[in-house]
Structure formats: C-alpha cells, structure tokens
Amino acid sequence: MKQPFHIIESTCVPLPLENVDTDQIIPARFLKATDKEGFGENLFRDWRYNADGSPKDFVLNDPTYSGCVLVAGRNFGSGSSREHAAWAIAGYGFRVVISSFFADIHKQNELNNFVLPVVVSEGFLARLFASIDADPKMQVRIDLPNQTVTNLATNESEHFDINGYKKYCLENALDDIDFLVQSKDKIAQWEASQKA
Amino acid sequence: MNTLFDKIWDRHVVQHVEDGPDQLYIDRLYAHEVTSPQAFAGMRARGLKCFRPDHIYCMPDHNTPTHDQDKPIEDPVSKKQVDTLEQNCRDFGLTHFGMLHPNNGIIHVVGPELGLSLPGMTIVCGDSHTSTHGAMGAVAFGIGTSEVEMVMASQCILQAKPKSMRINVEGQLGKGVTAKDVALYLMSQLSTSGATGYFVEYAGSTVRSLSMEGRLTLCNLSIEMGARGGFIAPDEVTFAYLKGRPNAPQGEAWDKAVAEWSELKSGEDAVFDKELTFRAEDIEPMITYGTNPGMGIGITQQIPAPQNASDEKALKYMQFAGGEPMLGKPVDYVFLGACTNGRIEDFRAFASIVKGRQKAANVTAWLVPGSWRVLDQIKAEGLDKVLTEAGFAIRQPGCSACLAMNDDKIPAGKLAVSTSNRNFEGRQGPGSRTCLASPLVAAAAAVTGFITDPRTLF
C-alpha cells in the first residue's frame, strides 16, 4: 500500500449517505485476521451482500459505477478506530475518499495507508453527487501537489488542506515510522528531562 | 490557552514537526488482540524491537468467550488471534494478562482498576474507547494500528494537536438519571460529529458529583460525539479511587504524586476553542432509537420524524416509525457490560432494580462483568445471589456482545437493550437491532420484557 501519490483522474463511486461508520465499512466479525490482506473483499460487506453471499442492490455491485475515488456523505468513518476499515478501502482499490467531513481517527488511518481523504465544501459535494448522477462516467481530478480537487464535468475546482509533512510523506511513499525511529535521541532526551 | 489539555499535551511534545504534527510522547500503550497483530508484524518486517517495553500492557478482550474460558476457544480464527497476542508479547518482552489471569478483562476496565492509568499521563490504544481513561485526568485517545506500531517502535506518535472544548453540566441529576444518560443526552444534542476535531474537558457541578465509575462511563462515550478524547480534571474522588491500587504510587511517592496531580486543572483564565453548558434537570433516562449513538431521546419521548435519507434508512433498519413512543416496545435481549457499563457500580444499579423481581420470560439476558476483579467484587457484595435469585446468570469477563466478535451475537431482527456504546447496523451481530441505555433502563427491560422507565420501578 506504500505508493507515491501525485495526480489522479478517475470516475467516482457515489455513496450519498451521512455518518457511514467503520462498522459498516468493515464489520467486526472480519477483524480477526492477523495480516492486512483480503479486507477489500469484505468492504461494506453487509450493505453489499445478503447473509447467503448473494449481492444486494448496492453501489459496489452496480457496474455503472467504477473508479478509484469514493465519494461519501458527511462524517465518513465515524465510530471504531479499526484501521481494518482503511485496509478494506485501500484493498478494494480506492485511492481517494471525497467527503465534506471525516471522523478524526479514520482520516488519519486513511493517510497512514496512502489513501487520500479530501475534504470539500457541502456545496461542492452536493454538485459532485449531481454530476455523477447525471453522468456516471464523469471524472474528478485530484492534484496533491497543488492541493486541488476538480469536478471535470463542471470544471468546478476547490482547494483542500493537508499538512506539509504528510503531503511530503504521500508524495514520497514514506510513513511516520520511518520518521520516528530516526528521532530516538530526541526521545531519550525528553525522557531524561522528565526525570530531572 | 492554559487549559488542562494544553498542559498535559504540551508537556509531552518531544518536538514539533515542521509544517506538520507534534511528536507526542506516550506514557502508556495498551494493546489487545484485534488491532495489534499487524503492528507486531510491521515491527518484525522492519527488524525493530519495542523501544520502551515496560510502558506497554497487553490483554485479549474482544474475542474472549464469556463462558468456559478454561477450555480452548472454539472458533479457530478467534483462537489464533488470541494466541498470536500471547506469542507476540513473549517475543517482544511485553506484559500480557491472558484470559484466566486475575488481571484480565476489558482493557479499559482493567487499566484504571489496576492503577495503570494515572492523572497527567498520555495513554493510547488501538481502540476508540481509550477515551475512557480520561476519567483519571489523563489525555487518552484511540489510534489506528499503524500508530500502535509507531508507539511500539518509538514510544511516540505523530499527531496534530486537537482543538479544545469544555462541556459543563450543572445541577443535580434526577433520580434514575446516570452518567450514561448524561453522555447519551450530550450525543443527542451534539450529534456523532459535534465534537470531531476536539478534545473535551468535562466540568461543572454535575460532573464533579459523579463517582469514578460514572466518570469512566462519561469519558468512554466521548468518541461517540466524534471527540478524540474526553477527560475530567483529577480531584479527591480520583485520588480516593486510586489510593492503594496495585500500580498506583505508594507511600512517600503517593503524597508527592497527589501534590503534583492537584495542580492538574485548567487555569481560571483558560480559553477553550468551544465551550458548552447543559443543565442536569433537562436530562431524563435516555434510550436510542436509531443506528448511531446520537439518535437518542428521553425514554418518555416519541421517536422524531426522519429528516433525511440517512434517518429513513436508520428507522427502516430498526423497524420503528417517527412519532412512536419507545416505552412499551417488546425486548428480546438485554446486555449489561462493555467498557461503557461493565463496572461494579453498573452491576449494583442493575441489581437494585431486579432485586425481588424475576427476569421476564421473553428476555435473554447477558450480564458480563468488565474484568475478573469486577466479578470478584460482585461476589464479595453478594450481588451474584440477588441476580441469580431473579433468574439471571453472570458470565465471564470480556467485550462480549458489544461488538459480537465472540459467540455472544444478538440474532438478526431481535431487539436488544444494551449498556454498550454503539447501535450501528449489525454491531451486536448481523441484523441485530440495538437500543443503547443505562444499566437501570436495561434492568427495567429485563424484568418487564419491554422498554420501561426504571423510575416506575423504584
């Protein structure tokens, strides 16, 4: 999952529901693995499949929609801190999630798995849903270096925030542990200062 | 500025990363079997050892069965995850409280009761309900597995400092209104995203009057308002709870610690990014009707009409309709337990209602203590007899039906009144329908067989 991120153009998969919690993204009974593989198969499991494994009427089962950008209603990823939700999203093949609001822990989990959470205004989101509805083959462009997201059907563009450190990590496929293990002297110094 | 949150956070900043987050030192990492295996695997892949193994405490709780824990776990996948934690702790030299260990239980129940979670600490765990430990006056929050690996590798985490919010609750709670109801009320007012981006300090006379168990319940549910964590400044209640706990400072060190902890409060001039005040008199026993914890109402109220597609989806799932009362709805299951309400005070409250009554025939009840120590206390107080005489059985400790990773699953379509923390679709088992409530409301449902105002049973 460690892969550099620069510019992505893709069609979208729309999920216009609010408060999508991580129990829906990946139900608890699929958290028993001891590795990170295979979670994509169970992404949105109980919205996607019936108990007998047959498909439900759900956007991931609709061939009209495809692409590596998930577009979701506000407060995406609330609830449990399970990083398995981010592994499921990345494992399915999504590289970007666009919403007007993300839950804190899940947003961080996405970033730590090289999935980019893009926060847009409510208006931009509503118009993006409308564009997808009008033409499921429309595309969005996510430009990380310039921190812009563009609805290519309307050419509406918006700036999105990301801190400079994390942006550098995404562009260069580096993670936080690479950074932290190099700061052990500083950590030991801090510990010593507490004992003084 | 000059909030208690600032004081604890700022003191733990090892360095500020340029144009980025803070590198925050972590005093305590708790790890359970579900969110740690991939972190240990990552450590192995990088050839790393745990940087400060004595700061890390591990125990299985999510997969553990709540009966026959002396026998091997039947589900091979659950067994593997529990065994993997034990092996990882052995390989990395970490403290491990296995299933039958007297210190085992739900990690957020065990940390405070052992005195491992102390005022002024930074505490993390790969579990969103780590906010529970905030009741001790600590900055405690849930993290992802990548972040668990960060702490194992460096005892630090990279984290942008959240904004601060103070929530004041003032006045005296009515009879039958508990800390759980305060939390469910706050969520109903703020929604599940109302505190996202914030760390919450709970204050005010109502909060001060809560017992330690009540404070743990309140802080536990901070995440359900979206807050990263919530805490309460330590005071005499905190100190009295901690004194004599196995890992709390003893003797001279205790006096010194209490002197330091007594300084842990927001300044008179503290400025919060947001401040809200609520009145205790406005809160009645609460119950949820929807599929997120913010969808709660006073137990005597009617289900609100849906406002949008998400509300409609929730009510359809719950098989409820706007305008209906919650009172009188038949209940199939009652669950007492979880890191939210699996402590001794919760069992006392439940027992106070069922004493001299009988479990309703239509109700299956699962009573799951949060730890072996809680179970010992239940027996020491004779509550087990009260519960048994009323037709209830007490199970062995674990997370149990809160998220149904073990065999304790609410069957599809069945309605449960649960003292746990989440009523998401399928949370307690595929197709299960959950109403969150206090132990008193749960007990009232258990003896009457339908949703009942516990105040009518006093």
Side-chain angles (χ1 to χ4, degrees), chain B residues 373-384:
Chain B
R373 281 168 189 264
V374 171
L375 181 56
D376 289 347
Q377 185 70 21
I378 288 169
K379 289 177 180 167
E381 295 184 16
L383 298 175
D384 53 333

Side-chain angles (χ1 to χ4, degrees), chain A residues 18 23-24 31-32 35 47 79-81 83 104-105 108-109 164-165 175-176 178 183 190-191 194, chain B residues 11 19 23 25 38 46 52 75 78 81 128 144-147 150 158 197 228 310 405 422 425 427:
Chain A
E18 296 181 359
D23 271 82
Q24 308 316 313
L31 307 186
K32 298 185 185 186
D35 59 30
W47 286 354
S80 161
S81 59
E83 192 162 320
D104 286 330
I105 305 178
Q108 195 66 28
N109 286 340
Y165 162 80
D175 68 23
D176 291 350
D178 298 325
S183 69
W190 183 90
E191 287 176 325
Q194 296 303 301
Chain B
R11 182 180 165 183
D19 195 16
Q23 180 175 343
Y25 190 86
Q38 294 86 353
R46 293 172 200 255
R52 294 289 179 254
D75 176 352
S78 284
Q81 207 170 42
S128 60
T145 297
S146 296
E147 294 168 316
M150 287 178 211
L158 292 178
R228 199 60 193 276
S310 302
M405 279 190 73
R422 287 181 175 140
E425 287 184 30
R427 170 78 178 186

Side-chain angles (χ1 to χ4, degrees), chain B residues 173 176-188 210 213-221 224 283-288 293 335-343 345-346 417-422 434-442:
Chain B
L173 292 172
V177 183
T178 67
K180 180 65 166 287
D181 302 300
V182 174
L184 287 171
Y185 177 78
L186 293 176
M187 286 176 236
S188 74
L210 293 176
E213 282 85 357
R215 295 177 183 193
L216 288 158
T217 299
L218 178 61
C219 290
N220 171 272
L221 291 160
E224 311 309 338
I283 308 173
E284 64 168 332
M286 297 284 295
I287 192 154
T288 65
F335 172 55
L336 173 68
C339 54
T340 313
N341 284 118
R343 283 170 283 268
E345 197 170 90
D346 304 312
V417 173
S418 294
T419 67
S420 47
N421 40 58
R422 287 181 175 140
T434 301
C435 298
L436 300 175
S438 74
L440 291 175
V441 172

Side-chain angles (χ1 to χ4, degrees), chain B residues 53-76:
Chain B
D54 57 335
H55 288 35
I56 305 174
Y57 288 81
C58 306
M59 66 203 76
D61 55 10
H62 283 57
N63 283 276
T64 53
T66 52
H67 57 86
D68 299 314
Q69 288 191 8
D70 55 326
K71 301 191 178 74
I73 300 177
E74 283 176 21
D75 176 352

Side-chain angles (χ1 to χ4, degrees), chain B residues 359-391:
Chain B
K359 183 183 78 63
N362 61 309
V363 168
T364 302
W366 291 333
L367 278 48
V368 185
S371 70
W372 288 111
R373 281 168 189 264
V374 171
L375 181 56
D376 289 347
Q377 185 70 21
I378 288 169
K379 289 177 180 167
E381 295 184 16
L383 298 175
D384 53 333
K385 288 195 185 66
V386 174
L387 296 167
T388 310
E389 280 167 15

Side-chain angles (χ1 to χ4, degrees), chain A residues 74-130:
Chain A
R74 80 183 301 284
N75 197 24
F76 185 77
S78 56
S80 161
S81 59
R82 58 189 68 167
E83 192 162 320
H84 313 65
W87 300 333
I89 289 168
Y92 184 84
F94 288 119
R95 298 202 62 200
V96 177
V97 180
I98 297 176
S99 179
S100 54
F101 195 92
F102 288 84
D104 286 330
I105 305 178
H106 180 69
K107 186 177 178 188
Q108 195 66 28
N109 286 340
E110 286 191 8
L111 283 166
N112 285 336
N113 287 280
F114 299 86
V115 171
L116 181 63
V118 175
V119 182
V120 297
S121 66
E122 295 290 349
F124 185 96
L125 185 68
R127 289 185 289 277
L128 179 55
F129 277 130

